[in-house]
Amino acid sequence: MQPVNANERGAELVTLIERLTDDMKAAMKNKDKNRLTVIRMVRSSIKNKEIELKRPLTEDEALSVVAKEYKQHQDSLAEFVQANRDDLAEKARSEMAILKDYLPEPLTEEEVRRMVQEVIAQTGATSRADMKKVMTRLMPQVKGRADGKTVNRLVQESLQ
């Protein structure tokens, strides 16, 4: 079962939250318990964030919630593998595959490296002392599409 494509509703753009709702209904119809559980978890996290902020989330904020869930699953997966819990590791992998459907296409390391060089040129950064200036400009551009640790490493390598 594929998630709802943004173009399936015609010309209007489907928000992440609408997509999650549509996919949840489809998962119920198809009796896909794993997908249904993951979607409910994400919707619950989004709802909790809305309650915390006392307002509806923007598309970027909702995407951040999904990215955070994905990152937590990555961390859990590493712990499960280290503890030789193959059953839990496999469950985490399958849930990560579902979460990945809701994240934008990740940037390659080469794309991030190119963006790092562009930001360094724009900011005039020359040393590690300028790292904060570069990271502040770069992170909004790669948010949800590149791992912060990778971005940090590439910036450090470029500012040596």
Side-chain angles (χ1 to χ4, degrees), residues 119-130:
V119 171
I120 287 174
Q122 290 169 359
T123 59
T126 55
S127 68
R128 284 198 176 184
D130 299 322

Side-chain angles (χ1 to χ4, degrees), residues 1-14:
M1 188 195 84
Q2 291 294 335
V4 175
N5 186 337
N7 295 327
E8 265 185 41
R9 291 192 180 177
E12 76 180 80
L13 194 64
V14 178

Side-chain angles (χ1 to χ4, degrees), residues 7 30 34 41 52 58 82 101-102 117 123 134 143 148:
N7 295 327
N30 296 330
N34 194 30
M41 172 195 61
E52 177 187 322
T58 65
Q82 187 177 11
D101 289 342
Y102 300 99
Q117 294 306 318
T123 59
V134 174
K143 187 173 189 164

Side-chain angles (χ1 to χ4, degrees), residues 35-144:
R35 181 172 286 277
L36 182 60
T37 301
V38 172
I39 292 171
R40 282 182 171 158
M41 172 195 61
V42 170
R43 290 189 61 202
S44 174
S45 295
I46 289 171
K47 186 59 74 183
N48 288 339
K49 190 69 171 176
E50 287 177 338
I51 291 168
E52 177 187 322
L53 296 175
K54 296 182 173 113
R55 63 175 171 78
L57 297 184
T58 65
E59 189 71 9
D60 282 344
E61 290 169 334
L63 188 61
S64 291
V65 171
V66 176
K68 182 179 177 185
E69 288 290 339
Y70 186 83
K71 179 75 171 121
Q72 287 174 344
H73 275 70
Q74 269 184 322
D75 295 343
S76 296
L77 176 62
E79 290 178 23
F80 296 149
V81 168
Q82 187 177 11
N84 292 322
R85 290 297 310 265
D86 296 335
D87 55 332
L88 295 175
E90 189 53 43
K91 184 175 187 281
R93 280 188 194 98
S94 70
E95 290 176 356
M96 286 172 62
I98 294 167
L99 288 169
K100 201 171 194 174
D101 289 342
Y102 300 99
L103 294 172
E105 198 62 36
L107 294 168
T108 65
E109 191 167 311
E110 193 52 46
E111 289 171 319
V112 176
R113 194 179 305 274
R114 183 179 38 77
M115 292 172 81
V116 166
Q117 294 306 318
E118 288 173 9
V119 171
I120 287 174
Q122 290 169 359
T123 59
T126 55
S127 68
R128 284 198 176 184
D130 299 322
M131 188 155 171
K132 183 178 179 183
K133 192 179 353 176
V134 174
M135 291 297 286
T136 303
R137 265 253 184 99
L138 187 60
M139 286 312 288
Q141 295 177 28
V142 300
K143 187 173 189 164

